[in-house]
Amino acid sequence: MDITIPALNNDPGIITAETSRHATYKVGVRRRTRQVNVGGIPVGGGAPISIQTMTKTKTSDVEGTVAQISRAAEAGCDIVRVTVNDREAADAIADIVKRSPVPIVADIHFNHIFALMAIRAGVAKVRLNPGNIGSQDRIREVLSAAAAKSIPIRIGVNSGSLEEDILEKHGYPTPGALFESAMRHAGICEDFGFRDVIISVKSTDVKLMIEAYRLVAERTDYPLHLGVTEAGTTRVGTIKSAVGIGTLLAEGIGDTIRVSLTDEPEKEIEVGKEILRSLSLASRNVELIACPTCGRLEVDLFSIMKQLEEKLERVKKPVKIAVLGCVVNGPGEACEADIGIAAGKGVAILYRKGEVVRRVKESEIVAAILEEVEKFQPES
Ligand code: SF4
């Protein structure tokens, strides 16, 4: 079956990874997409890239779930997804929505009743593939309910659960197969006149997800939710997510991200924030840079950085701080940051936007930087 692309490009046909090879991306230029609103958080259309996580509690455990959501929000999370996988979870969702400090997304597979209950309960988005919930009437009911509340739907395609006919046609999960599945579900939404759609085409295979997202990015204007699914333990998952999500973001692709780790949601947020910071996409976060240290090091940089990391963890300012360990390479690099330190023997030079502010003793470096952060006014 050929694919009809519902958004920007009406060229039908089977899309393969090869078709994306000719695309050119400009580093630093964000892809233009339509914008959707997730409980007050704009996604796409040039909005800041939001960070999501998913709770790991039983949703029916309202206390535990709300506590986890609150910790994730405190860590800087913008949107939290909870599974609505059974009747108890569907019954609990209204309470969770009421008590959550951030917008809640209901994750639903197959059951349109749970989707309707979640929408009634006030969720800000539903993750659901319309082609999986059965009859046209059910699809119409869910999409109408979402439209009435102005909430978007995320179509979440996963290489591990592709439709049988698509798998048969492509042989195995290919970028074209993920793309085709996403377009099938998106096409259903478009047929019902429902356009508030976000798409994800995740895989545990980093190269596969990169190519699949590139296809959707080239052919449509849907905002994209990026993720490497089941990325794994903190160490492996962090690296896989940084490579997969980071590659796409560097190409201007991606509007909201979720790092999946076999770890607490706060850890996922921490890694997500770091990915955004590394590409200067974290509009509200501190970017902390330090030299790797070498034999020229003249201060206890490890302790200074540890203290700064802890003290700046919750600060929401787009300020770039560079701390360099010696006077050989330090001044040049410290000058490029908003706040810089080039350390010497027991004493350091403090820079503000490339200008020398003053000398500070090694024991005062952390306090001096915190004072500068306090004074820092981002350019509007
Ligand atoms: Fe070594 Fe100085 Fe470079 Fe740090 S800034 S890595 S101490 S040369």
Side-chain angles (χ1 to χ4, degrees), residues 291-298 301 324-330:
C291 77
T293 78
C294 72
R296 290 198 170 103
L297 185 69
E298 305 203 84
L301 198 69
L324 290 305
C326 77
V327 288
V328 176
N329 290 338

PDB file of all heavy atoms in Angstrom, residues 291-298 301 324-330, ligand 1:
ATOM      1  N   CYS A 291      36.867  22.702  32.281  1.00  0.00           N
ATOM      2  CA  CYS A 291      37.922  22.052  31.505  1.00  0.00           C
ATOM      3  C   CYS A 291      38.091  20.626  32.022  1.00  0.00           C
ATOM      4  O   CYS A 291      37.710  20.325  33.162  1.00  0.00           O
ATOM      5  CB  CYS A 291      39.217  22.844  31.588  1.00  0.00           C
ATOM      6  SG  CYS A 291      40.114  22.625  33.135  1.00  0.00           S
ATOM      7  N   PRO A 292      38.670  19.747  31.218  1.00  0.00           N
ATOM      8  CA  PRO A 292      38.779  18.350  31.669  1.00  0.00           C
ATOM      9  C   PRO A 292      39.859  18.168  32.745  1.00  0.00           C
ATOM     10  O   PRO A 292      39.939  17.118  33.359  1.00  0.00           O
ATOM     11  CB  PRO A 292      39.166  17.602  30.386  1.00  0.00           C
ATOM     12  CG  PRO A 292      39.811  18.625  29.518  1.00  0.00           C
ATOM     13  CD  PRO A 292      39.145  19.928  29.848  1.00  0.00           C
ATOM     14  N   THR A 293      40.635  19.205  32.965  1.00  0.00           N
ATOM     15  CA  THR A 293      41.821  19.233  33.856  1.00  0.00           C
ATOM     16  C   THR A 293      42.985  18.459  33.240  1.00  0.00           C
ATOM     17  O   THR A 293      42.787  17.542  32.437  1.00  0.00           O
ATOM     18  CB  THR A 293      41.569  18.691  35.293  1.00  0.00           C
ATOM     19  OG1 THR A 293      41.558  17.272  35.250  1.00  0.00           O
ATOM     20  CG2 THR A 293      40.304  19.247  35.908  1.00  0.00           C
ATOM     21  N   CYS A 294      44.183  18.900  33.611  1.00  0.00           N
ATOM     22  CA  CYS A 294      45.405  18.216  33.185  1.00  0.00           C
ATOM     23  C   CYS A 294      46.493  18.571  34.185  1.00  0.00           C
ATOM     24  O   CYS A 294      46.208  19.161  35.224  1.00  0.00           O
ATOM     25  CB  CYS A 294      45.791  18.617  31.760  1.00  0.00           C
ATOM     26  SG  CYS A 294      46.435  20.304  31.667  1.00  0.00           S
ATOM     27  N   GLY A 295      47.730  18.260  33.866  1.00  0.00           N
ATOM     28  CA  GLY A 295      48.831  18.509  34.800  1.00  0.00           C
ATOM     29  C   GLY A 295      49.030  19.977  35.133  1.00  0.00           C
ATOM     30  O   GLY A 295      49.731  20.316  36.089  1.00  0.00           O
ATOM     31  N   ARG A 296      48.417  20.871  34.364  1.00  0.00           N
ATOM     32  CA  ARG A 296      48.585  22.308  34.645  1.00  0.00           C
ATOM     33  C   ARG A 296      47.600  22.829  35.697  1.00  0.00           C
ATOM     34  O   ARG A 296      47.678  23.979  36.098  1.00  0.00           O
ATOM     35  CB  ARG A 296      48.350  23.114  33.364  1.00  0.00           C
ATOM     36  CG  ARG A 296      49.421  22.963  32.334  1.00  0.00           C
ATOM     37  CD  ARG A 296      49.318  24.115  31.339  1.00  0.00           C
ATOM     38  NE  ARG A 296      50.454  24.138  30.474  1.00  0.00           N
ATOM     39  CZ  ARG A 296      50.450  23.708  29.221  1.00  0.00           C
ATOM     40  NH1 ARG A 296      49.350  23.214  28.704  1.00  0.00           N
ATOM     41  NH2 ARG A 296      51.542  23.756  28.488  1.00  0.00           N
ATOM     42  N   LEU A 297      46.666  21.974  36.069  1.00  0.00           N
ATOM     43  CA  LEU A 297      45.594  22.386  36.984  1.00  0.00           C
ATOM     44  C   LEU A 297      46.149  22.996  38.268  1.00  0.00           C
ATOM     45  O   LEU A 297      47.078  22.448  38.863  1.00  0.00           O
ATOM     46  CB  LEU A 297      44.737  21.153  37.331  1.00  0.00           C
ATOM     47  CG  LEU A 297      43.510  21.407  38.183  1.00  0.00           C
ATOM     48  CD1 LEU A 297      42.467  22.189  37.383  1.00  0.00           C
ATOM     49  CD2 LEU A 297      42.896  20.082  38.639  1.00  0.00           C
ATOM     50  N   GLU A 298      45.555  24.156  38.682  1.00  0.00           N
ATOM     51  CA  GLU A 298      46.107  24.832  39.857  1.00  0.00           C
ATOM     52  C   GLU A 298      45.109  25.014  40.996  1.00  0.00           C
ATOM     53  O   GLU A 298      45.425  25.651  41.990  1.00  0.00           O
ATOM     54  CB  GLU A 298      46.688  26.174  39.433  1.00  0.00           C
ATOM     55  CG  GLU A 298      47.707  25.989  38.304  1.00  0.00           C
ATOM     56  CD  GLU A 298      48.701  27.119  38.204  1.00  0.00           C
ATOM     57  OE1 GLU A 298      49.690  27.062  38.950  1.00  0.00           O
ATOM     58  OE2 GLU A 298      48.485  28.009  37.382  1.00  0.00           O
ATOM     59  N   LEU A 301      39.453  21.787  41.089  1.00  0.00           N
ATOM     60  CA  LEU A 301      38.322  22.007  40.171  1.00  0.00           C
ATOM     61  C   LEU A 301      37.180  21.009  40.406  1.00  0.00           C
ATOM     62  O   LEU A 301      36.009  21.343  40.244  1.00  0.00           O
ATOM     63  CB  LEU A 301      38.810  21.903  38.718  1.00  0.00           C
ATOM     64  CG  LEU A 301      37.886  22.510  37.684  1.00  0.00           C
ATOM     65  CD1 LEU A 301      37.868  24.019  37.815  1.00  0.00           C
ATOM     66  CD2 LEU A 301      38.305  22.138  36.286  1.00  0.00           C
ATOM     67  N   LEU A 324      37.706  27.260  34.197  1.00  0.00           N
ATOM     68  CA  LEU A 324      38.917  26.672  33.624  1.00  0.00           C
ATOM     69  C   LEU A 324      40.015  26.635  34.680  1.00  0.00           C
ATOM     70  O   LEU A 324      40.130  27.556  35.495  1.00  0.00           O
ATOM     71  CB  LEU A 324      39.387  27.489  32.410  1.00  0.00           C
ATOM     72  CG  LEU A 324      38.546  27.449  31.115  1.00  0.00           C
ATOM     73  CD1 LEU A 324      38.355  26.011  30.651  1.00  0.00           C
ATOM     74  CD2 LEU A 324      37.211  28.120  31.255  1.00  0.00           C
ATOM     75  N   GLY A 325      40.798  25.572  34.620  1.00  0.00           N
ATOM     76  CA  GLY A 325      41.694  25.272  35.732  1.00  0.00           C
ATOM     77  C   GLY A 325      43.058  25.917  35.735  1.00  0.00           C
ATOM     78  O   GLY A 325      43.819  25.723  36.688  1.00  0.00           O
ATOM     79  N   CYS A 326      43.430  26.694  34.731  1.00  0.00           N
ATOM     80  CA  CYS A 326      44.761  27.313  34.757  1.00  0.00           C
ATOM     81  C   CYS A 326      44.779  28.573  33.900  1.00  0.00           C
ATOM     82  O   CYS A 326      43.820  28.866  33.196  1.00  0.00           O
ATOM     83  CB  CYS A 326      45.822  26.321  34.291  1.00  0.00           C
ATOM     84  SG  CYS A 326      45.832  26.124  32.506  1.00  0.00           S
ATOM     85  N   VAL A 327      45.872  29.285  33.954  1.00  0.00           N
ATOM     86  CA  VAL A 327      45.939  30.557  33.228  1.00  0.00           C
ATOM     87  C   VAL A 327      46.466  30.396  31.800  1.00  0.00           C
ATOM     88  O   VAL A 327      46.596  31.369  31.071  1.00  0.00           O
ATOM     89  CB  VAL A 327      46.816  31.589  33.981  1.00  0.00           C
ATOM     90  CG1 VAL A 327      46.116  32.095  35.214  1.00  0.00           C
ATOM     91  CG2 VAL A 327      48.166  30.991  34.326  1.00  0.00           C
ATOM     92  N   VAL A 328      46.775  29.158  31.413  1.00  0.00           N
ATOM     93  CA  VAL A 328      47.302  28.958  30.061  1.00  0.00           C
ATOM     94  C   VAL A 328      46.155  29.022  29.049  1.00  0.00           C
ATOM     95  O   VAL A 328      46.115  29.888  28.186  1.00  0.00           O
ATOM     96  CB  VAL A 328      48.060  27.610  29.962  1.00  0.00           C
ATOM     97  CG1 VAL A 328      48.521  27.365  28.525  1.00  0.00           C
ATOM     98  CG2 VAL A 328      49.247  27.614  30.896  1.00  0.00           C
ATOM     99  N   ASN A 329      45.196  28.114  29.182  1.00  0.00           N
ATOM    100  CA  ASN A 329      44.050  28.124  28.258  1.00  0.00           C
ATOM    101  C   ASN A 329      42.823  28.781  28.869  1.00  0.00           C
ATOM    102  O   ASN A 329      41.856  29.049  28.185  1.00  0.00           O
ATOM    103  CB  ASN A 329      43.678  26.689  27.881  1.00  0.00           C
ATOM    104  CG  ASN A 329      44.734  26.069  26.996  1.00  0.00           C
ATOM    105  OD1 ASN A 329      45.497  26.783  26.356  1.00  0.00           O
ATOM    106  ND2 ASN A 329      44.789  24.759  26.974  1.00  0.00           N
ATOM    107  N   GLY A 330      42.863  29.018  30.164  1.00  0.00           N
ATOM    108  CA  GLY A 330      41.684  29.503  30.874  1.00  0.00           C
ATOM    109  C   GLY A 330      41.111  30.813  30.380  1.00  0.00           C
ATOM    110  O   GLY A 330      39.923  30.870  30.035  1.00  0.00           O
TER     111      GLY A 330
HETATM  112 FE1  SF4 B   1      44.710  21.871  31.636  1.00  0.00          FE
HETATM  113 FE2  SF4 B   1      44.458  24.511  31.928  1.00  0.00          FE
HETATM  114 FE3  SF4 B   1      43.256  23.262  29.854  1.00  0.00          FE
HETATM  115 FE4  SF4 B   1      42.313  22.923  32.313  1.00  0.00          FE
HETATM  116  S1  SF4 B   1      42.394  24.871  31.183  1.00  0.00           S
HETATM  117  S2  SF4 B   1      42.723  21.306  30.818  1.00  0.00           S
HETATM  118  S3  SF4 B   1      44.160  22.951  33.527  1.00  0.00           S
HETATM  119  S4  SF4 B   1      45.453  23.455  30.221  1.00  0.00           S
END
